[in-house]
Amino acid sequence: MSGTLTVVEPATEGVLEEIPRAGVEEVDAAVAAARAAFPGWRALAPGERAARLRSLVAAMEAEHESLSVLEARNAGKPIASARGEVGMAIETIRYYAAAPERLLGDTIPVAGGQAFTFREPLGVVGLITPWNFPLAIACWKLGPALAAGNTVVLKPAELTPLTALRFGALADAVLGPGIVNVVAGPGRTCGARLVEHPDVAKIAFTGSTEVGRSIAAGAAQTIKRVTLELGGKSPNVIFADADLELAAASVPGSVFDNAGQDCCARSRIFVQEPAVERFMELLERAVKSLRVGDPLDERTEMGPLISAAQRETVASFVPDGAPVAFRGSAPDGPGYWFPPTVLYPIAPDARAVREEIFGPVACVIPFADEADAIAMANDTIYGLSGSIWTGDGARALRVARAIDTGVLSINSNSSVRVTTPFGGFKQSGYGRELGPHALDAYTEVKSVYYATGARD
């Protein structure tokens, strides 16, 4: 063990917990435990594996409130948001608990016999998860990986490991030892070791595009399977014929949820020119009414940033003299607070428009017409999420088809569902999580030919 890991509470800057810090030796031991458990987990009858996953759901439901409070304190998110995210984690495991009995192959008629396919688990899978939605995103990966018959090593982010460790204890008790193994330590040691380990068959990573590039390069050395869910700079396209009141009211949830620390944050707000003045009036009202404060207060809608370093990074996008149209509030005193901020007018090539901020800062940019909106929305290296607001249904579908992004919503700021695929285009990554498509990333297709021709 490589010493201890100090877990800080973002709202108070105080120490929340001291935990053992994992290193390379702990990762190797976790991989060995997962490898030893794999044959038994894989060999379970599909109905038995499903039953154990349903028991895990029940154990999580019994801990729903305690997990929510722990997530709120560790990640600095409002308790209402934390409850929703833990609920989604539970729903994700429940959804994939139905999958073991539905992992079907194909039968294919061929000359001289019959061919059929099997969906086989990969083996030991390494899961590397971020600090912004700790338990929810971990379960996006855990659900399909376990349902398909793999065993896992989960490496949560250093800043927010506590709910992952609690989940690991529940999984040990319900599923059996070695099936889920949690290692809490630095990415540069634990994450890197998972990527290079010869007994790890796949890496599923959520995090920055920069780190994703290094993981893809490292995994190539052993030809590991990889799925990457990376950065985003998502557009929020608002046409003049949209319901402007509803669109403006949705912005705090689409940009400032989780204090803007969300790869789906729709932080580039494109507004059609005739509607800009009215939209800005409505948006100012919505932003200034946002309640920012103690994560455990039931009324809180936005909490602090995750760390002092993250606050410093976000502040660098709003230097003195930045075109701040208006800001919301933020508490004084301890805590990594930053007020929700809207920049306007701002040039389309400004750093705040081009780069992922990962904080509560949004940019408003006018556009002329549909073609202009599409061109501006696509003018980015990213392609993860986004919204389109219009009263014209045909236009909504045209624009949705034309924007290069993996997940879109129309007249809504919500784009993530347990039952639908999630993932990005371009440098926002590859592969899909959630929905039935996620299972493909945790299995290999085996084709078997059975000769049935007559013999002499």
Side-chain angles (χ1 to χ4, degrees), residues 110-449:
V110 295
Q114 184 71 42
F116 43 92
T117 63
F118 296 101
R119 282 278 179 185
E120 302 284 12
L122 300 171
V124 177
V125 174
L127 311 178
I128 303 175
T129 55
W131 47 259
N132 56 337
F133 298 100
L135 187 60
I137 289 180
C139 287
W140 293 7
K141 304 177 192 305
L142 286 157
L146 294 170
N150 303 283
T151 52
V152 303
V153 179
L154 169 61
K155 203 230 58 93
E158 280 181 88
L159 294 171
T160 54
L162 299 184
T163 51
L165 290 166
R166 183 77 62 85
F167 178 93
L170 291 175
D172 253 14
V174 175
L175 304 182
I179 295 168
V180 174
N181 307 271
V182 182
V183 287
R188 64 184 177 275
T189 52
C190 295
R193 179 56 179 157
L194 274 177
V195 170
E196 71 182 20
H197 200 294
D199 291 334
V200 174
K202 173 191 167 66
I203 295 291
F205 170 75
T206 297
S208 72
T209 295
E210 180 183 9
V211 175
R213 291 189 191 104
S214 67
I215 286 176
Q221 303 307 305
T222 49
I223 319 296
K224 282 183 173 59
R225 280 61 178 145
V226 178
T227 51
L228 300 174
E229 195 270 281
L230 307 176
K233 192 69 179 175
S234 298
N236 201 350
V237 180
I238 300 164
F239 287 92
D241 67 349
D243 182 335
L244 296 181
E245 287 80 6
L246 183 60
S250 83
V251 166
S254 69
V255 184
F256 305 133
D257 181 55
N258 205 38
Q261 300 166 127
D262 181 357
C263 50
C264 288
R266 292 146 169 83
S267 58
R268 294 184 300 147
I269 305 173
F270 299 107
V271 184
Q272 196 165 18
E273 288 165 356
V276 172
E277 184 177 349
R278 175 59 177 157
F279 178 80
M280 292 297 288
E281 292 173 357
L282 294 166
L283 181 59
E284 182 172 11
R285 186 188 311 161
V287 170
K288 289 188 174 180
S289 67
L290 191 68
R291 290 188 288 268
V292 182
D294 178 7
L296 296 182
D297 186 330
E298 297 284 351
R299 299 167 298 174
T300 295
E301 296 170 287
M302 187 182 114
L305 294 168
I306 189 67
S307 67
Q310 188 63 20
R311 182 172 59 187
E312 186 176 320
T313 297
V314 173
S316 73
F317 287 90
V318 193
D320 290 341
V324 176
F326 44 82
R327 310 183 90 156
S329 64
D332 296 321
Y336 307 122
W337 307 100
F338 196 92
T341 301
V342 175
L343 304 181
Y344 174 81
I346 186 166
D349 60 353
R351 178 173 170 246
V353 177
R354 307 296 300 174
E355 298 180 22
E356 185 175 33
I357 298 173
F358 230 61
V361 178
C363 302
V364 176
I365 306 115
F367 69 88
D369 53 25
E370 186 175 315
D372 193 26
I374 292 166
M376 295 172 82
N378 285 338
D379 186 20
T380 174
I381 64 170
Y382 300 110
L384 186 57
S385 190
S387 289
I388 301 162
W389 296 82
T390 177
D392 184 333
R395 169 190 279 161
L397 292 177
R398 284 195 307 270
V399 176
R401 292 300 302 269
I403 292 180
D404 298 328
T405 192
V407 184
L408 276 167
S409 57
I410 296 170
N411 295 331
S412 166
N413 68 359
S414 176
S415 54
V416 180
R417 301 285 187 279
V418 172
T419 54
T420 59
F422 176 82
F425 287 14
K426 300 190 282 188
Q427 293 189 39
S428 287
Y430 49 78
R432 291 294 179 267
E433 299 191 299
L434 301 176
H437 299 73
L439 290 160
D440 294 346
Y442 293 94
T443 59
E444 293 278 26
V445 177
K446 179 184 289 181
S447 180
V448 177
Y449 168 70

Side-chain angles (χ1 to χ4, degrees), residues 83-123:
R83 289 189 186 112
E85 290 168 28
V86 172
M88 187 186 199
I90 292 168
E91 287 306 305
T92 303
I93 301 299
R94 178 181 284 114
Y95 176 79
Y96 288 108
E101 296 171 292
R102 292 167 175 78
L103 277 173
L104 308 178
D106 300 301
T107 57
I108 307 165
V110 295
Q114 184 71 42
F116 43 92
T117 63
F118 296 101
R119 282 278 179 185
E120 302 284 12
L122 300 171

